[in-house]
Amino acid sequence: MDFGVVLQTDPPARDVVAGLTAAEDNGFRYGWTFDSCVLWQEPFVIYSQVLAATKHLIVGPMVTNPSTRDWSVTASLFATLNDMFGNRTVCGIGRGDSARRVIGQPPASLATLKEAMHVIKELAEGNEVEHHGTAVRIPWVRDGRLEIWMAAYGPKALRLVGEQADGFILQTADPDIARWTIGSVRDAATAAGRDPDSITVCVAAPAYVGTNLAHQRDQLRWFGGMVGNHVADLVARYGDSGVVPKALTDYIRGRAGYDYAHHGRAGNPSTDFVPDEIVDRFCLVGPESAHVDRLQELKEIGVHNFALYLMHDDKEKTLSSYGKNVITQV
């Protein structure tokens, strides 16, 4: 199993660079950031500094979207970084949540996301593709390569992952949800004539190593609120009876709203509805042994990559614990 760290691009950017450099030093292979350039600083500018400061780290957004940049711009950003640093990027992408909603726009449709993934990948790899009704190719791309990993929860989105994406991002570490979603992706890949084993499966969730469970839960409750945004969309589309597992839908019944000013941050006041049980299921808490046990279970289910959201009040200890003990055991 490979490991990554997910950070927010809060200023000063040098702290993001230092954090992802420390991640590489602790054995992490991937460095991710949020991509919501009103709430945080522009990530692609920072990626160039991260890549310059590291040797092997692969960087990318967790996740970008099809709508805040033209697809040619997104492709050129990845292609430029790859040309400078040797194909060390990955494109995590979804329909868009905070990046779209804070500017008064809804998430993109799956049809738009499908087309965007195709155009971005082809352009970043130096191939000609139709974009805005015009044949377009980036002529300076040399030996370009860009994997597209798509974030998804619902049945139609999971089908699109299996049909088209190079990787699947599941933003929860709940084993039951992982079994259902990974199975759906693999079934869709098989139906589309693709090898399901060729799709990288990445679980992304917060992790906090320690023994004070009550404090850890309070620090990570924000994640249940963030996932709840996507689940609320699913319930609006599919209802809460059967199509989407109750493990995802039941806990949002008490959800009253959401304030993006606190998005992805410990102490988010919009997440009081998230019970301790959901924090324990969606996140990794407790001592190192508990993290190892959960990661081993996820690995057996078919997870290839774990991306650790590092947003709490004891980041250095958790990063160090993973580097010294957790990663080596998994």
Side-chain angles (χ1 to χ4, degrees), residues 3 5 25 46 51 67 78 87 133 146 168 185 203 229 235 285 297 313:
F3 287 81
V5 168
D25 292 341
I46 299 171
L51 289 167
S67 305
F78 282 111
N87 288 332
L146 181 66
F168 166 44
V185 167
V203 159
N229 294 331
V235 171
V285 295
E297 183 177 7
D313 62 0

Side-chain angles (χ1 to χ4, degrees), residues 62-132:
M62 177 78 70
V63 293
T64 192
N65 68 85
S67 305
T68 53
R69 303 178 186 89
D70 187 83
W71 304 340
S72 63
V73 174
T74 302
S76 185
L77 288 167
F78 282 111
T80 300
L81 293 171
N82 283 339
D83 189 65
M84 293 173 68
F85 298 102
N87 288 332
R88 288 170 54 199
T89 68
V90 57
C91 177
I93 194 168
R95 294 174 57 230
D97 178 36
S98 61
R100 292 286 291 164
R101 288 184 162 119
V102 297
I103 58 172
Q105 298 295 313
S109 68
L110 285 176
T112 297
L113 179 56
K114 177 178 181 178
E115 186 179 359
M117 290 194 297
H118 171 67
V119 171
I120 291 167
K121 183 178 179 67
E122 292 300 311
L123 288 176
E125 294 186 345
N127 301 317
E128 184 177 291
V129 67
E130 185 174 300
H131 182 40
H132 300 311

Side-chain angles (χ1 to χ4, degrees), residues 131-204:
H131 182 40
H132 300 311
T134 300
V136 179
R137 183 177 71 87
I138 301 177
W140 46 262
V141 172
R142 301 168 295 179
D143 301 318
R145 185 178 70 252
L146 181 66
E147 290 195 357
I148 307 286
W149 295 9
M150 179 182 155
Y153 291 107
K156 292 181 180 179
L158 293 168
R159 187 183 313 127
L160 179 56
V161 174
E163 292 171 347
Q164 182 173 341
D166 300 303
F168 166 44
I169 296 172
L170 173 63
Q171 290 171 309
T172 173
D174 184 305
D176 290 337
I177 296 171
R179 288 186 184 92
W180 172 68
T181 54
I182 294 170
S184 297
V185 167
R186 293 179 64 86
D187 288 348
T190 300
R194 301 181 70 200
D195 178 5
D197 292 332
S198 68
I199 301 172
T200 300
V201 176
C202 174
V203 159

Side-chain angles (χ1 to χ4, degrees), residues 226-237:
M226 187 178 83
V227 173
N229 294 331
H230 304 288
V231 175
D233 287 345
L234 293 179
V235 171
R237 185 174 298 113

Side-chain angles (χ1 to χ4, degrees), residues 2 42 51 61 80 108 142 204 215 237 263-264 279 281 298 320:
D2 285 326
E42 168 57 50
L51 289 167
T80 300
R142 301 168 295 179
H215 179 71
R237 185 174 298 113
H263 187 58
V279 179
R281 287 167 54 186
L298 291 170
S320 176

